[in-house]
Amino acid sequence: MSLYQLSKLLFELNRDTALQAEFTADAKAVTTRYDLSDEERGAVIDGDVGLLYVLGVNGQILMHFAAFRQIAWADYLQRMRDGVRIHGPVRAGIYAMTTGLDEKVAGV
Amino acid sequence: MTLVFTGICSHGPGITGRADLAPPELRDPFFAAYRAMRDALHAARPDAVIIVAAEHFANFFMNNMPSFAIGMADGYEGPIEDPDWLRIPHRRVRGDAALSQAIIAEVQQSVDVAYAEEWKFDHGIMVPLSFLDPDNKLTVIPANINCQGPPLAPLHRAWAFGEALRRAADAVPQRIALIATGGISHWPATPDSGRINEEWDREFLRRWAAGDKAALLDYTDAGTYAEAGQGGFEIRTLIAAAAAARGPGTVHFFTPIPIFSTGCFVATAEIA
C-alpha cells in the first residue's frame, strides 16, 4: 500500500491545470509516474471516490478531486458511503466514517 | 503601528458552493454577520490583511510540510477548486512582498516560520474573501497553520505564532488587520459532513471570547478528534487570533448549519 504516493498524485492533480488536462487525455499515463498498487491505480483511473476514501485518502484531497471530476455534493457523500459498504471501513488516515451507512446528518 | 482589527470566521466550501441548499432563516443572518464584519474590517482602513488559514493541501503537502508559513509575493490566485463547484470566480489577489518580508523577519524572532513566494488560495481563504472583500480591493498576506497532516504543532505553538504576528503587525508602519479562519467542530469532506457538536463549539467560543489562554490551550488533539472531528484541529488558527488580539472577543453569530458542514460563526476581538 502506498497511500503517500496515491495522495501525492491527487494533491498535484488538484492544483495543476496542466496536469489535469494531461490526466483527462490519458489518466493511466499520469498514474505510471507514481508508485501505486494496482488497486490504487485502478481507483484513480476510474475516479472511484468510494475506494479512494476507504484507502485512506485525506478527505480534503478527495473533496477537491471530486470537484475536479464534477461530482455533485450529495453524490460525493453517497459514493463514500457506498465505498465503505463495499470495501469495509477506512483503512488509514484521520478521515474515518463515524456515522452509520444510512445516516445522512445534513440531509444529503 | 498597532494591529487595527482582529476577526475570526468559518470557511467551509459549502457556505458558497451550497448556499442555495441552506435554510434561508439560518443562512441569511449568517451572511449578514459576515457582511457586518466586512464593514468593520474596511472601516479599520487596513493597508494589508493577514489571513491565518488552515489550508487543505492547496500548497503544502507531506513531502515538506511546514507547521507555520507566510506568503511573500506581490500577488496570489485562487480558488484552486473548480470555480463552478465553489461558486467563487477565479481572481488574482494583491499581495505585498516587501511587507511580507518585514513581517516574516519579525515573526522569525520567535517562530521558525516557512515563507512561500507562490501560494494558491483554496476555499479556506477564498470563502472569507468572497464576503469580506467582494470587490477584490484588499492587500492580503496569507499565513497558514498545518491543521491537516499530523503531526501538528501543539496548541501553545499556535498561540506563540499569534503572538509573533501581533509583534510583527505592531512593528511595521502599515495598518495591519488579522482574520483567522477555521472550523470549530466538524467532520468535513466525509460521509459525516454535517455532524456538528454544538455544545463543544459554544464552549470553545466562550473560551475564545474570554481570551482565556489556559483554557484555550487545554484541549488535546485526541480529545478534539473524538469530540470535534478532524476539522476541530483547525482551532489552531482561532487560538492564534486570540493571542494576537489579546483583548476580549465578541461572538456576533454562531449557528450550526449542517449543509455547510460546520457550525457557522463570525466573531471579533478587541485589540489590547
Side-chain angles (χ1 to χ4, degrees), chain A residues 4 7-9 11-12 14-17 20 53 58-64 66-68 70-73 76-77 80-81 84 93-100 103-108, chain B residues 13 18 21 55-64 80-82 84-85 118-120 122-123 147-150 186-195 225 230-231 233-234 258-259 261:
Chain A
Y4 173 78
S7 303
K8 188 175 180 185
L9 188 167
F11 159 70
E12 292 180 341
N14 285 342
R15 68 189 304 277
D16 185 344
T17 51
Q20 289 172 3
Y53 176 61
N58 185 295
Q60 299 292 349
I61 292 175
L62 191 57
M63 180 174 70
H64 289 176
F68 160 61
Q70 303 285 322
I71 298 170
W73 184 246
Y76 165 64
L77 299 183
M80 288 189 287
R81 294 186 193 104
V84 172
I94 58 171
Y95 275 69
M97 190 164 89
T98 63
T99 50
E103 197 175 347
K104 296 181 178 179
V105 284
V108 295
Chain B
R18 298 188 291 281
L21 299 179
E55 74 131 41
H56 318 81
F57 305 105
N59 304 278
F60 307 115
F61 186 66
M62 280 73 79
N63 59 345
N64 189 4
I80 68 154
E81 296 93 336
D82 184 305
D84 294 332
W85 178 82
E118 294 180 44
W119 196 304
K120 295 182 180 183
D122 69 16
H123 65 268
C147 301
Q148 309 298 344
H186 61 313
W187 287 255
T190 72
D192 313 340
S193 286
R195 184 181 169 194
Y225 186 69
Q230 63 286 102
F233 294 152
E234 294 178 354
I259 194 64
S261 306

Side-chain angles (χ1 to χ4, degrees), chain B residues 174-228:
Chain B
Q174 290 89 346
R175 298 173 63 85
I176 306 295
L178 186 146
I179 298 286
T181 171
I184 326 180
S185 74
H186 61 313
W187 287 255
T190 72
D192 313 340
S193 286
R195 184 181 169 194
I196 295 162
N197 186 341
E198 182 173 349
E199 188 183 350
W200 197 91
D201 287 353
R202 290 191 183 280
E203 171 59 17
F204 178 85
L205 289 172
R206 188 195 65 74
R207 296 182 192 189
W208 188 86
D212 188 339
K213 178 182 176 182
L216 284 171
L217 302 189
D218 193 41
Y219 293 100
T220 64
D221 279 353
T224 297
Y225 186 69
E227 295 179 57

